[in-house]
Amino acid sequence: MAATRISYGWVVVWLLFYGGLLPYALPRCLDWMSRASNWWLSWGAAGLAVLVAGVALSLYQAGRWLTRYFSSQPFNPPSDGSI
């Protein structure tokens, strides 16, 4: 597998997550957590945990891709000895 290959399926998934689901679900989860009922509080906390896990997974995948991309680039030090 080439280091610069991008899985466009994941790009679409993350665009839908950040552009559609997150702006809709985050205020709803926070609203549920502000209600007096323990039932709503637990659903809001569970929803927020799922959203945080999604953000963490996307950052992890982006970090892995950047690491693979930059580790595959050859390092060419300056020829004149300056840094």
Side-chain angles (χ1 to χ4, degrees), residues 7-33:
S7 172
Y8 292 104
W10 278 112
V11 171
V12 170
V13 167
W14 293 125
L15 285 175
L16 289 174
F17 177 75
Y18 280 109
L21 180 68
L22 194 64
Y24 172 76
L26 182 62
R28 182 155 305 227
C29 290
L30 294 175
D31 178 52
W32 289 346
M33 290 177 68

Side-chain angles (χ1 to χ4, degrees), residues 15-57:
L15 285 175
L16 289 174
F17 177 75
Y18 280 109
L21 180 68
L22 194 64
Y24 172 76
L26 182 62
R28 182 155 305 227
C29 290
L30 294 175
D31 178 52
W32 289 346
M33 290 177 68
S34 68
R35 301 211 178 169
S37 169
N38 285 340
W39 188 82
W40 283 108
L41 175 66
S42 62
W43 277 110
L48 191 61
V50 168
L51 293 176
V52 167
V55 170
L57 179 61

Side-chain angles (χ1 to χ4, degrees), residues 67-81:
T67 301
R68 282 192 306 238
Y69 177 77
F70 286 115
S71 66
S72 70
Q73 301 295 320
F75 176 69
N76 295 321
S79 60
D80 63 355

